[in-house]
Amino acid sequence: MRSPLLLAVAIHALLSFAFNTAGRPDALIWEFAEKRAPAQDIVTWDEHSLFVKGERVLIFSGEFHPFRLPVPSLWLDVFQKVKALGFNCVSFYVHWALLEGKPGEFSAEGVFDFQPFFDAAQKAGIYLIARPGPYINAEVSGGGYPGWLARLRGGLRTVAPDYLNATNNYMTSICKIIADAQITNGGPVILLQPENEYTVANTYTPFPDASYMEYVIQQARDAGIVVPFISNDASPYGHNAPGTGLGEVEIYGHDGYPLGFDCAHPTVWPANNFPTTYRSNHLKQSPSTPFSIVEFQAGSFDPWGGWGFEQCSALVNHEFERVFYKNNYAVGVTIYNLYMIFGGTNWGNLGHPGGYTSYDYGSVIKEDRTVTREKYSELKLQATFLQSSPGYLTATPGSSSTSQYSDNADITITPLLANSTDDASFFVVRHTNYSSLASTQYRVTLPTSQGNLSIPQTTQSLSLNGRDSKVMVTDYDVQGTRLLYSTADIFTHVKQDDQTILILYAGADEYNEFAIEALGGSVKKIQGSSSFGVTSTNLSDFAMINWTANPEGSILQIGDSLFINLLDRNTAYNYWLTSIDGTDSKLIINGPYLVRSASIDADGLHIKADFNATTRVEIIGFPADATKLFVNDIETPVEVSGLTTAANVSLAHVSLATPTLADLDWKYVDSLPEIQAGYDDSLWTVADKTVTNNSFQSLVAPVSTFASDYGFHTGVLIYRGHFNATGYENSFSLYSQGGTGFAASIWLDDHLVSSYLGDPAEEGNGGKYDISGLPLDAGTEHVLTVVVENMGLNENYDPGYDEQKAPRGIVGWRLETSRATGTPITWKLTGNLGGEDYADRARGPLNEGGLFAERQGFHLPGAPTESWASHSPLEGIGVPGIGFYAASFDLDLPSDEWDIPLAFAFTNDTAASGAYRAQLYVNGWQFGKLSSNVGPQTVFPVPEGILDYNGPNYVAISLWALEQGGAKIPALELVAGTPVWTGREDVEVVLSPGWTERVGAY
């Protein structure tokens, strides 16, 4: 909701456009329009898919932002978990505001260095799609824009000269970094997306402005980008598609979030939200390029006051994946990126006001990097199948039908038909009512190389149970053996020496049927208890087998060398397909919590894997030249039984000694000395600008008090307003703005006038406050102190509105007298120490705000706490104000072998504790913002590397009591999740510079 003090946004946009078009560099932009010749031949494409180094590839990708996990040595861990899904790619945004906190000063060092990210991707065998913006949205502060852009008069995401010039240093710098990491230079980057969701704009902005997109593309080209450009239209509107002229990309892509973001109702799939026009849109908009979905829903954001990310994960769960993702396969997507695959954390104020510290997103990999959600396992089944099915890449999607292939109109089947009888066809089966919970019986008629076949060929029917979908195949190549058809889903197939292994799976107790080339070979069960039958048909070269899935599963042998594993879906979840490094061979491994890699060294097979319980590991395809098995470098005895080589991995009890935080020696210092008599604010910034360039908000007061006009863009803002009383002052009116969910407090001298407790639906708040009872004698000097919580800058989704410039801090005020006059106020303000000349280069420009303790650097390890009072945040403060608490503790955890999730858990009971805001600092890194009366987050995961698992740690908490009576934190614990015996590489502690006395701190 916009402030009632704002002037009409449309007028501002119109004036901004009129200003911007003066001196518009048309000649410069239009000369970019010459048709670009391909700049390289390593990444190419046709209408079906990408080719990389001449090989046709399916790009199955997930979104992962390195800036949301500021521990570079953990990036490989995430990449390996993505790779284990069957993915081969990751897409990443770049957050401009973290890299150019001050105009002209670009810095990408320490946790912001991209080289370790590129190195980890290559080590894991992952391609990268780079998305540097300059605008990214991404639920980050300003949509990735640095706050200093608010001082530009020109419209953002337009061809305003001052805006374009402001982007040049960043785009040149970041695109040079990305260019060096392109696959043409031996790196992992294969595609680049210019801009982001350039799809809609306000009425007064020419849109789409092809010259703007062309400018962004040329910035990247000039910096050395030669890989193809891909777009991500927010919806399939065809903007900037190939052939549209100026500003066109080489590969058109769009996004899709069909369920929206209603985590309050996770089981509701609204009518008409199912995508049914993707194929027809693609054929109209970009038929000569691969069908590309550059963002498809894999979770949901959640706002302040929301329902929490577990409900978001339930909204976009494993059933959503089955129905919606398989629908995307049905229309032939071959460049496919899921947003998010791993969300991470909005540490250090990097998030936008519509979200809290966690950016778990309900994604496939949880914020603490665990892979316990069922949606991870379901997605692994799907991605592994597609990567095992090269025929999918060239099959032609057809029209969905309720009658052509199925005998039941409640079932819809969409074909992807082969171009010849030597290739596979795919048939995606779903409920016609996509949200149906029914169990529906049906039969199918499918075209095969042996003619149209009615399936099952027995008298039984197939079933589709609830929110499910299946991919049936015909004439599918299983390592040279023809699978004529299968009604069950395929996981994968491999060939080891002279043996072929195929894995089929289905829902528990579901009846299925397949026919496979047998050439007279007998069919026998060699393991398991699943019931099966062999039916005689007139297909002389094929064995037709029906079976019912159960948890134990079965292995069938056909002839001498074909083996078929029949599994129920939950059992299939435990299977992994893993390449053996340096070879073309693959292993099928059953059992571990995660399989990271496999390699052969001398006579040993080495498996890197993770285990969360004692597990029997079964390996199919154990190399004939390996005689030993090493699991996480420990030799493990094996036994051979039929196809499988098995080993038992036993986990011993692991002791996790974590400190009791309530028992620590907490130290306390007042972090709001500004309300004390005699406080010296002579070093503060004076609010003296009588004009503003802000194109979103005009001045409604004699001077600007917009924080970004003075270089303060992050964290808590504090204002001190000096005035000489006339003796007649009786009310103070204030409009403050901090973003949705923000809080604010007003003091007159040391008296709390009022606090605004926050509302997740309001980004600003205005009020008129009675001060008539306070001692304001004529001629006396007084100070109004206003504390405003900056929740982050607004995103700038619609070009022309310039919402990123929505001010933070005080927007307008009036100190009114009983004589209907106003008493002048001289305002000073502060945010983080130094503003754009931020003090902490290691943690970046957004990590700290304007609290006294932050300006002094007391949130950093080694702060001079010896002279502070001993006082715990669990005792709190008994009056309104801001307290700052710090304590130290040691950890000694077996992290060389175990991955141990840790989190700080706050007990929240506003009725007992009072309304408050708290910030959590761990070794100087802000890893938590808690809003006691708004919620929802109370548990804050902190990764190893920020926490030193084998050394000293420093934790600090700011506690802002908003009401009379003060506030306290009811309870606080450091809690450990389930430890996982891990094959990951060691985690390095992130460089976390400690406290030194800050020059100029006030």
Side-chain angles (χ1 to χ4, degrees):
M1 180 176 178
R2 293 186 177 84
S3 159
L5 295 178
L6 295 178
L7 299 181
V9 172
I11 296 174
H12 285 302
L14 183 60
L15 292 175
S16 177
F17 175 67
F19 173 83
N20 294 341
T21 53
R24 176 171 163 177
D26 287 330
L28 176 64
I29 294 174
W30 280 93
E31 72 179 11
F32 297 158
E34 299 176 9
K35 190 69 175 178
R36 289 183 293 266
Q40 49 77 46
D41 60 2
I42 294 179
V43 182
T44 58
W45 66 93
D46 62 12
E47 70 274 22
H48 298 297
S49 74
L50 281 189
F51 294 84
V52 178
K53 298 181 179 178
E55 179 184 357
R56 188 181 290 281
V57 294
L58 167 69
I59 299 300
F60 212 131
S61 175
E63 189 81 11
F64 164 33
H65 303 152
F67 59 80
R68 283 185 158 121
L69 179 61
V71 184
S73 56
L74 281 174
W75 294 340
L76 178 61
D77 174 68
V78 176
F79 280 131
Q80 288 177 336
K81 287 168 179 170
V82 173
K83 182 73 171 180
L85 284 166
F87 285 33
N88 58 359
C89 190
V90 155
S91 167
F92 69 99
Y93 276 136
V94 181
H95 194 327
W96 178 8
L98 293 173
L99 304 179
E100 194 176 4
K102 182 178 182 179
E105 296 186 5
F106 178 93
S107 177
E109 299 177 351
V111 299
F112 308 111
D113 184 1
F114 288 88
Q115 193 57 50
F117 186 72
F118 299 147
D119 291 344
Q122 283 199 287
K123 187 166 187 176
I126 291 287
Y127 296 129
L128 294 177
I129 302 171
R131 305 207 292 165
Y135 180 73
I136 62 171
N137 214 62
E139 291 79 63
V140 294
S141 180
Y145 278 160
W148 49 264
L149 290 183
R151 297 197 296 271
L152 304 181
R153 284 195 63 81
L156 308 181
R157 304 181 76 186
T158 74
V159 293
D162 57 349
Y163 167 70
L164 295 182
N165 289 336
T167 67
N168 285 339
N169 182 54
Y170 164 72
M171 285 297 284
T172 298
S173 301
I174 189 60
C175 288
K176 282 183 178 177
I177 291 171
I178 294 170
D180 288 343
Q182 293 174 108
I183 194 169
T184 53
N185 292 322
V189 176
I190 59 169
L191 296 169
L192 185 135
Q193 177 193 296
E195 242 283 341
N196 185 75
E197 294 178 329
Y198 187 63
T199 303
V200 293
N202 82 349
T203 307
Y204 299 93
T205 300
F207 187 88
D209 189 338
S211 60
Y212 168 63
M213 182 64 85
E214 187 67 34
Y215 190 92
V216 176
I217 290 171
Q218 195 61 32
Q219 285 177 314
R221 287 290 188 217
D222 289 346
I225 298 298
V226 296
V227 295
F229 286 98
I230 191 168
S231 63
N232 78 319
D233 227 350
S235 294
Y237 295 147
H239 292 133
N240 305 107
T244 57
L246 192 69
E248 69 182 58
V249 295
E250 288 150 305
I251 300 174
Y252 175 75
H254 64 78
D255 299 349
Y257 291 86
L259 282 193
F261 309 99
D262 185 13
C263 300
H265 303 96
T267 63
V268 175
W269 289 9
N272 304 317
N273 281 34
F274 194 69
T276 58
T277 60
Y278 279 177
R279 176 64 178 171
S280 59
N281 288 334
H282 173 66
L283 293 177
K284 293 174 185 176
Q285 295 164 348
S286 192
S288 63
T289 65
F291 178 46
S292 304
I293 304 179
V294 184
E295 290 183 27
F296 197 80
Q297 187 163 17
S300 172
F301 60 76
D302 194 46
W304 289 101
W307 295 86
F309 282 115
E310 286 308 315
Q311 285 204 195
C312 296
S313 180
L315 173 71
V316 186
N317 65 358
H318 53 285
E319 293 175 326
F320 174 92
E321 291 178 328
R322 290 172 194 157
V323 175
F324 284 86
Y325 293 1
K326 290 181 181 180
N327 183 62
N328 293 337
Y329 312 150
V331 291
V333 64
T334 60
I335 300 178
Y336 191 39
N337 182 55
L338 299 179
Y339 191 101
M340 301 285 299
I341 201 70
F342 168 74
T345 305
N346 288 326
W347 64 275
N349 302 303
L350 67 81
H352 78 139
Y356 40 94
T357 302
S358 176
Y359 196 67
D360 178 279
Y361 209 78
S363 57
V364 177
I365 302 171
K366 296 176 70 173
E367 182 181 7
D368 62 5
R369 295 175 296 100
T370 56
V371 293
T372 53
R373 287 174 174 152
E374 186 173 353
K375 61 194 294 183
Y376 182 94
S377 298
E378 172 62 33
L379 188 55
K380 177 181 63 174
L381 296 181
Q382 295 182 25
T384 303
F385 161 63
L386 289 182
Q387 297 291 15
S388 302
S389 305
Y392 167 78
L393 291 170
T394 54
T396 301
S399 298
S400 300
S401 175
T402 60
S403 59
Q404 182 175 357
Y405 304 103
S406 168
D407 68 344
N408 188 335
D410 289 335
I411 295 293
T412 292
I413 297 181
T414 307
L416 293 96
L417 298 174
N419 297 312
S420 76
T421 56
D422 291 329
D423 296 321
S425 293
F426 305 80
F427 301 85
V428 180
V429 181
R430 63 171 173 86
H431 275 112
T432 302
N433 172 8
Y434 81 100
S435 64
S436 173
L437 298 174
S439 292
T440 303
Q441 303 299 304
Y442 67 102
R443 297 174 60 84
V444 297
T445 299
L446 300 181
T448 76
S449 59
Q450 304 299 307
N452 291 339
L453 298 180
S454 177
I455 303 168
Q457 295 190 54
T458 63
T459 58
Q460 292 191 246
S461 295
L462 305 172
S463 60
L464 188 66
N465 298 311
R467 291 173 172 175
D468 198 1
S469 178
K470 300 176 181 296
V471 181
M472 298 181 181
V473 300
T474 60
D475 294 295
Y476 184 90
D477 181 21
V478 180
Q479 306 294 327
T481 297
R482 185 182 296 261
L483 178 63
L484 184 62
Y485 64 84
S486 173
T487 63
D489 283 284
I490 297 170
F491 173 52
T492 192
H493 50 94
V494 299
K495 189 160 191 172
Q496 286 289 346
D497 300 323
D498 60 348
Q499 295 180 331
T500 296
I501 300 99
L502 168 67
I503 297 181
L504 304 176
Y505 69 91
D509 299 322
E510 288 182 355
Y511 176 88
N512 280 278
E513 186 177 281
F514 66 93
I516 193 163
E517 192 172 19
L519 300 178
S522 62
V523 179
K524 61 182 178 181
K525 179 166 63 177
I526 61 173
Q527 182 177 313
S529 63
S530 293
S531 62
F532 80 99
V534 180
T535 302
S536 299
T537 71
N538 58 1
L539 304 174
S540 59
D541 292 335
F542 297 89
M544 195 280 285
I545 299 168
N546 57 74
W547 62 287
T548 301
N550 71 30
E552 185 176 341
S554 293
I555 300 178
L556 306 183
Q557 181 176 348
I558 301 177
D560 295 329
S561 59
L562 177 60
F563 299 86
I564 302 175
N565 281 28
L566 305 177
L567 305 175
D568 83 337
R569 183 160 44 212
N570 285 357
T571 303
Y573 282 164
N574 298 319
Y575 280 70
W576 307 83
L577 179 66
T578 304
S579 297
I580 300 177
D581 293 347
T583 75
D584 295 328
S585 298
K586 297 180 184 295
L587 302 176
I588 297 172
I589 302 177
N590 173 29
Y593 166 85
L594 172 73
V595 176
R596 296 176 183 270
S597 65
S599 62
I600 296 177
D601 184 12
D603 60 350
L605 174 64
H606 289 254
I607 303 294
K608 293 290 187 179
D610 288 14
F611 299 84
N612 59 0
T614 293
T615 304
R616 178 175 173 82
V617 178
E618 297 177 341
I619 303 172
I620 300 174
F622 200 95
D625 54 352
T627 60
K628 299 176 182 178
L629 173 66
F630 295 83
V631 179
N632 298 340
D633 298 325
I634 296 176
E635 186 171 356
T636 306
V638 299
E639 57 186 64
V640 179
S641 176
L643 281 180
T644 61
T645 299
N648 291 314
V649 175
S650 299
L651 299 191
H653 174 73
V654 58
S655 177
L656 303 178
T658 56
T660 302
L661 299 185
D663 295 340
L664 299 181
D665 182 18
W666 289 95
K667 297 292 186 175
Y668 164 83
V669 67
D670 179 15
S671 195
L672 193 63
E674 292 87 354
I675 64 174
Q676 298 172 4
Y679 177 81
D680 180 8
D681 62 12
S682 60
L683 294 179
W684 285 42
T685 299
V686 178
D688 57 3
K689 297 182 184 297
T690 58
V691 296
T692 182
N693 283 338
N694 194 304
S695 55
F696 185 83
Q697 171 68 66
S698 296
L699 292 186
V700 293
V703 297
S704 169
T705 45
F706 305 166
S708 286
D709 277 351
Y710 300 94
F712 301 118
H713 313 299
T714 184
V716 173
L717 303 164
I718 305 180
Y719 292 80
R720 283 174 56 82
H722 296 258
F723 66 92
N724 289 316
T726 66
Y728 300 105
E729 288 80 12
N730 63 0
S731 67
F732 176 59
S733 296
L734 179 78
Y735 193 90
S736 60
Q737 190 163 269
T740 49
F742 86 107
S745 292
I746 306 167
W747 278 266
L748 177 53
D749 299 327
D750 62 354
H751 174 79
L752 178 67
V753 175
S754 181
S755 283
Y756 172 63
L757 303 186
D759 184 326
E762 301 290 342
E763 68 174 357
N765 176 257
K768 186 174 183 178
Y769 309 100
D770 182 8
I771 58 173
S772 59
L774 299 179
L776 295 170
D777 296 335
T780 57
E781 295 184 355
H782 300 272
V783 177
L784 285 158
T785 301
V786 180
V787 182
V788 180
E789 185 179 23
N790 180 358
M791 310 299 278
L793 305 180
N794 290 353
E795 295 175 303
N796 207 84
Y797 185 77
D798 295 336
Y801 280 121
D802 282 1
E803 288 189 272
Q804 182 266 357
K805 299 180 183 180
R808 294 295 179 255
I810 293 176
V811 177
W813 71 90
R814 179 176 173 82
L815 182 55
E816 192 168 351
T817 72
S818 58
R819 297 186 173 187
T821 61
T823 299
I825 301 176
T826 299
W827 288 101
K828 294 184 175 183
L829 73 156
T830 188
N832 63 299
L833 183 67
E836 290 166 11
D837 290 307
Y838 54 99
D840 189 346
R841 296 286 156 164
R843 299 173 182 88
L846 302 182
N847 186 62
E848 59 190 62
L851 295 180
F852 170 76
E854 293 176 301
R855 302 192 311 263
Q856 298 294 327
F858 291 162
H859 58 293
L860 302 176
T865 61
E866 297 83 2
S867 61
W868 299 3
S870 291
H871 194 61
S872 168
L874 279 64
E875 299 170 303
I877 53 179
V879 295
I882 303 175
F884 190 82
Y885 302 86
S888 297
F889 60 87
D890 291 339
L891 289 175
D892 184 16
L893 298 173
S895 58
D896 56 335
E897 294 185 356
W898 295 85
D899 192 346
I900 306 163
L902 291 180
F904 289 81
F906 290 72
T907 296
N908 190 34
D909 181 2
T910 302
S913 67
Y916 66 86
R917 296 290 191 269
Q919 293 182 112
L920 170 70
Y921 281 97
V922 180
N923 293 323
W925 303 80
Q926 194 251 75
F927 253 80
K929 292 181 71 171
L930 187 148
S931 177
S932 72
N933 61 303
V934 176
Q937 188 174 6
T938 58
V939 178
F940 299 88
V942 178
E944 183 180 359
I946 296 298
L947 277 166
D948 186 344
Y949 277 28
N950 291 278
N953 293 275
Y954 178 80
V955 60
I957 295 172
S958 64
L959 178 65
W960 174 4
L962 292 163
E963 299 176 299
Q964 298 291 350
K968 64 180 181 180
I969 294 170
L972 176 64
E973 297 178 280
L974 182 62
V975 296
T978 301
V980 175
W981 186 54
T982 182
R984 73 172 188 197
E985 295 192 357
D986 290 341
V987 179
E988 298 176 8
V989 176
V990 172
L991 177 65
S992 300
W995 181 84
T996 57
E997 188 169 357
R998 289 182 166 182
V999 176
Y1002 46 83

